Amino acid sequence: MNIIIFGPPGAGKGTQSNFLIQDHGMFQVSTGDLLRNELKKVSELSKQIKSIMDAGKLVSDNIIYSLIEKKLSDKEIKNKIIFDGFPRNLDQVSKLELMLQKHDQKISKVLNLKVDYSILIKRLSGRISCSNCKKTFNEFFDPPPSNCCQKQEFIKRSDDNEETVSKRLKTYDNETLPILEFYKKQNKVVDIDAMKQITEVRKEIRGIIAS
Ligand code: AP5
C-alpha cells in the first residue's frame, strides 16, 4: 500500500512517517528531504533551490518529478511508499497519477493531519534535529533524550523562522490544500486529529493502517 501523508508545515508529517517506517516497514519519500540533500552539493541548481525554499515557495515541478521518478522505479520500495510533501499542487497530482500507472502502483490512502495554524509557528520554531542520527525533536513538545547520540549537537532548518513559515502556510493554502478535493472524490482521505500528542496520533494512524 502507498500512502500520502498530508498537512500543513509542522503538522507532523515527518514525525509520523518515521513511525510508519518502524510500525509497518514502509519507506518515506520526502521531497523536502530530497531537496535538502541536493543543497549539500555546490552547484547553480542548489543555489536556486535554496533561495526558493527560503522564500517559502514551491520548487519547480520538473526538479521534483525527476526525484520522484527515481523512487517509483525502485522495486525494493514498490507499494510501500509514504509520500511526504508530495504532491503539492494539482499539476503534481496529475503527474503522480501518470507515474503510478506507469509503474503499476496506486495511492490507497491520504492521511490528512489536521492542526490549528496557531500552534504551527511554535512547533516549527521549536523543531530541532540531531546532526548525527537526523532524528527530529521539539524544544517545547518533544525534547531529545540526554543520550540521543554520543556527540550531542542539534540543528534548526533555515526555513523554520516566523517570516518564512507564514509564507509556507500561504503557499500551502493556495496551492496544496486544493488537491485534497481530488482524493476526497476518490474516498481516499482519512482525517486525523493531529493536535493530539505525538504518541496518540501514532496510535490513531496505526489503527487506520491496520484496518
Ligand atoms: P518540507 O520539508 O516538505 O516541509 P513542510 O511541508 O513545510 O513540512 P515540515 O517538514 O516543515 O513539517 P512536518 O509536517 O513534516 O512536521 P514535523 O513532523 O517535522 O518542504 C520544505 C520546502 O521544500 C517547501 O517549502 C518547498 O520550498 C520545498 N518543497 C518540498 N516538497 C516540494 C514539492 N513537492 N514541490 C515543490 N517544492 C517542494 O513536526 C514539526 C515539529 O513539531 C517537530 O519538532 C515535531 O517534533 C513537532 N510535532 C510533530 N507532531 C507533534 C504533535 N502531535 N504535538 C506536538 N509537537 C509535534
Side-chain angles (χ1 to χ4, degrees), residues 13-156:
K13 303 182 293 295
T15 304
Q16 296 303 328
S17 293
N18 279 328
F19 296 138
L20 283 161
I21 295 167
Q22 288 170 36
D23 296 345
H24 305 282
M26 297 182 81
F27 294 85
Q28 180 191 23
V29 172
S30 156
T31 40
D33 288 347
L34 292 170
L35 289 168
R36 280 182 286 278
N37 274 341
E38 288 297 307
L39 295 187
K40 289 177 194 153
K41 300 174 189 163
V42 183
S43 68
E44 205 40 54
L45 180 65
S46 71
K47 269 193 228 157
Q48 276 174 30
I49 294 175
K50 178 153 174 39
S51 72
I52 297 169
M53 289 174 80
D54 283 344
K57 295 183 184 161
L58 296 185
V59 173
S60 92
D61 288 345
N62 286 336
I63 295 176
I64 300 294
Y65 298 153
S66 64
L67 298 171
I68 293 289
E69 177 77 46
K70 270 189 215 147
K71 297 290 174 185
L72 276 172
S73 56
D74 181 349
K75 293 203 168 47
E76 295 272 305
I77 66 173
K78 187 171 179 178
N79 284 320
K80 288 184 243 167
I81 301 177
I82 312 153
F83 290 99
D84 167 4
F86 178 84
R88 238 175 163 103
N89 59 31
L90 286 164
D91 286 340
Q92 292 188 6
V93 171
S94 312
K95 184 70 177 184
L96 174 61
E97 289 301 310
L98 286 174
M99 287 193 281
L100 286 166
Q101 251 177 27
K102 178 177 160 194
H103 294 283
D104 191 27
Q105 299 188 57
K106 64 173 184 150
I107 297 295
S108 298
K109 280 188 201 309
V110 177
L111 304 179
N112 179 28
L113 303 184
K114 298 189 77 169
V115 200
D116 292 347
Y117 284 15
S118 55
I119 196 76
L120 295 178
I121 301 266
K122 191 161 182 190
R123 278 198 190 175
L124 292 173
S125 63
R127 171 163 56 188
I128 46 173
S129 40
C130 174
S131 63
N132 185 39
C133 68
K134 313 290 177 220
K135 199 166 180 284
T136 298
F137 300 97
N138 195 285
E139 289 169 331
F140 309 112
F141 304 113
D142 183 24
S146 53
N147 58 348
C148 177
C149 280
Q150 220 170 20
K151 189 173 159 238
Q152 290 273 42
E153 201 188 352
F154 295 96
I155 42 176
K156 288 191 181 238

Side-chain angles (χ1 to χ4, degrees), residues 6 87-90 93 175-183:
F6 189 87
R88 238 175 163 103
N89 59 31
L90 286 164
V93 171
E175 303 194 43
T176 308
L177 204 49
I179 76 175
L180 258 195
E181 280 313 306
F182 174 86
Y183 292 107

Side-chain angles (χ1 to χ4, degrees), residues 176-194:
T176 308
L177 204 49
I179 76 175
L180 258 195
E181 280 313 306
F182 174 86
Y183 292 107
K184 275 187 183 160
K185 283 188 189 138
Q186 301 186 355
N187 285 326
K188 289 184 175 169
V189 178
V190 187
D191 287 340
I192 290 158
D193 178 3

